[in-house]
Amino acid sequence: MPDINFASPSQDAAEPRPAAGDGNNLRWDIIELLFFAYRDFVGDPDQELEAFGFGRAHHRVMHFVYRYPGLKVADLLDVLRITKQSLGRVLKQLLDEGYIVQKTGDNDRRQRLLYATPKGEALVQKLAGLQTTRINKALAEMGPQDAETIKRFLRAMIDRDDPDKVLETIFASVNHDAKE
């Protein structure tokens, strides 16, 4: 198979494209750091999930179901911003394999509430452990005050007008924690 070089003839493939000189002040430094940090942050769990035949969608579902027991399927769709069809496939697999259970609401029997099973909890704990190890390793290279700066930066990156119920809960707990 021939070697394909996507770089233009005047550009060395090993050199990054220079920043545009049009005054845009694009943050290539942060953009690329976020890209690679995300790649490695989710890469650790990806390897673990592969053994189960699961992917990132399974991880996201398990994460939010574990963290917010009784989460409504409708709210999970909003949080993940995926279609009902996409969630349905992942949810069916997690239900069939015993990682989560679905219960009807006490007041509204049409509600489908999701809970992690002990098997699901163990998986989420393992995945979160891998990610916590990576976070702690990075924080060890910084000062203790930097963790708060990082959290403020990441919260600022999230759209505040986002209607997600889980984000509302997260922001409420952050504000509550800040007052204590």
Side-chain angles (χ1 to χ4, degrees), residues 96-170:
D96 289 349
E97 296 190 27
Y99 289 91
I100 61 174
V101 293
Q102 181 176 277
K103 299 178 181 179
T104 56
D106 290 335
N107 298 331
D108 185 347
R109 307 295 291 166
R110 294 171 297 174
Q111 287 181 335
R112 295 186 299 154
L113 309 176
L114 302 172
Y115 298 88
T117 64
K119 182 178 176 180
E121 290 176 2
L123 178 59
V124 172
Q125 289 284 337
K126 183 167 191 155
L127 301 176
L130 294 169
Q131 292 178 315
T132 297
T133 298
R134 182 172 291 278
I135 291 167
N136 287 342
K137 182 179 172 196
L139 288 174
E141 296 180 20
M142 309 169 84
Q145 75 284 357
D146 292 330
E148 283 306 313
T149 302
I150 292 164
K151 287 193 294 189
R152 278 197 326 272
F153 171 78
L154 292 172
R155 282 193 302 269
M157 291 282 294
I158 299 169
D159 290 336
R160 283 298 185 137
D161 59 348
D162 197 327
D164 293 348
K165 301 291 186 254
V166 172
L167 284 179
E168 288 175 16
T169 303
I170 291 169

Side-chain angles (χ1 to χ4, degrees), residues 3-175:
D3 213 12
I4 299 173
N5 183 355
F6 291 102
S8 65
S10 65
Q11 185 180 10
D12 182 359
E15 294 294 318
R17 180 181 303 273
D22 59 0
N24 281 343
N25 297 324
L26 300 175
R27 292 305 311 249
W28 295 113
D29 55 343
I30 304 286
I31 292 168
E32 289 178 358
L33 286 170
L34 282 170
F35 173 80
F36 290 114
Y38 175 76
R39 178 199 66 189
D40 294 345
F41 180 71
V42 297
D44 297 331
D46 283 353
Q47 290 177 350
E48 187 70 31
L49 289 163
E50 199 174 296
F52 299 96
F54 293 165
R56 289 184 186 164
H58 296 86
H59 185 188
R60 289 190 299 267
V61 168
M62 286 300 310
H63 173 88
F64 287 107
V65 168
Y66 172 77
R67 292 281 294 149
Y68 303 93
L71 184 64
K72 293 182 229 163
V73 170
D75 288 340
L76 184 58
L77 282 167
D78 288 341
V79 168
L80 298 178
R81 292 186 177 161
I82 59 175
T83 65
K84 199 181 245 186
Q85 182 179 5
S86 296
L87 177 60
R89 180 187 55 80
V90 170
L91 202 52
K92 180 176 178 358
Q93 191 175 9
L94 292 169
L95 286 164
D96 289 349
E97 296 190 27
Y99 289 91
I100 61 174
V101 293
Q102 181 176 277
K103 299 178 181 179
T104 56
D106 290 335
N107 298 331
D108 185 347
R109 307 295 291 166
R110 294 171 297 174
Q111 287 181 335
R112 295 186 299 154
L113 309 176
L114 302 172
Y115 298 88
T117 64
K119 182 178 176 180
E121 290 176 2
L123 178 59
V124 172
Q125 289 284 337
K126 183 167 191 155
L127 301 176
L130 294 169
Q131 292 178 315
T132 297
T133 298
R134 182 172 291 278
I135 291 167
N136 287 342
K137 182 179 172 196
L139 288 174
E141 296 180 20
M142 309 169 84
Q145 75 284 357
D146 292 330
E148 283 306 313
T149 302
I150 292 164
K151 287 193 294 189
R152 278 197 326 272
F153 171 78
L154 292 172
R155 282 193 302 269
M157 291 282 294
I158 299 169
D159 290 336
R160 283 298 185 137
D161 59 348
D162 197 327
D164 293 348
K165 301 291 186 254
V166 172
L167 284 179
E168 288 175 16
T169 303
I170 291 169
F171 287 129
S173 69
V174 166
N175 292 336

